[in-house]
């Protein structure tokens, strides 16, 4: 069963005076039922007006510390869901 935990939340004021909220979540899941160690992933959810947009990358690493580091970087740099997959790919390729 997948677990989700909101770690960071940013509120951004847009040029047209609307507010956008971004939630950065840690996901924890087991790839197979007989595996005892979980894999961690990231979900970013954007809330703007009455719309919600999410993107998720599951199974990034079994190292919680590595995934937490990525989430912190994404929150500091106000990463939106549309850029999540590409940035996770870049960081994994770089070995971070």
């Amino acid at each position: 069963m997948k677990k989700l935990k909101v770690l960071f939340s940013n509120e951004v004021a847009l040029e047209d005076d609307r507010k956008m909220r971004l939630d950065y979540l840690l996901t924890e899941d087991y790839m197979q039922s007989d595996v005892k160690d979980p894999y961690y992933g990231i979900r970013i959810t954007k809330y703007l007006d009455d719309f919600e947009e999410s993107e998720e990358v599951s199974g990034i690493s079994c190292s919680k510390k590595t995934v937490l580091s990525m989430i912190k970087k994404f929150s500091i740099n106000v990463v939106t869901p549309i850029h999540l997959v590409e940035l996770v790919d870049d960081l994994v390729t770089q070995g971070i």
Side-chain angles (χ1 to χ4, degrees):
M1 183 173 148
K2 184 185 290 189
K3 296 179 186 177
L4 301 171
K5 182 177 181 182
V6 177
L7 299 180
F8 300 99
S9 190
N10 291 338
E11 190 167 287
V12 180
L14 302 176
E15 293 176 4
D16 59 3
D17 294 329
R18 294 184 298 162
K19 301 258 190 232
M20 173 178 69
R21 190 177 93 223
L22 295 164
D23 288 343
Y24 300 87
L25 296 89
L26 175 70
T27 68
E28 180 180 330
D29 202 0
Y30 297 85
M31 294 300 197
Q32 299 172 356
S33 60
D34 61 339
V35 176
K36 69 175 190 169
D37 295 325
Y39 281 90
Y40 298 96
I42 300 170
R43 176 186 290 180
I44 299 176
T45 304
K46 177 176 88 173
Y47 302 92
L48 180 61
D49 299 328
D50 294 332
F51 299 100
E52 181 179 319
E53 174 188 349
S54 288
E55 186 64 64
E56 181 175 330
V57 179
S58 300
I60 296 170
S61 176
C62 57
S63 168
K64 188 174 184 178
K65 182 178 176 182
T66 298
V67 178
L68 290 174
S69 173
M70 288 182 183
I71 294 172
K72 185 174 181 180
K73 287 177 188 180
F74 295 160
S75 175
I76 289 169
N77 292 290
V78 193
V79 172
T80 58
I82 197 164
H83 299 290
L84 178 63
V85 174
E86 181 181 1
L87 291 173
V88 167
D89 182 55
D90 288 348
L91 291 176
V92 169
T93 300
Q94 294 171 11
I96 295 175

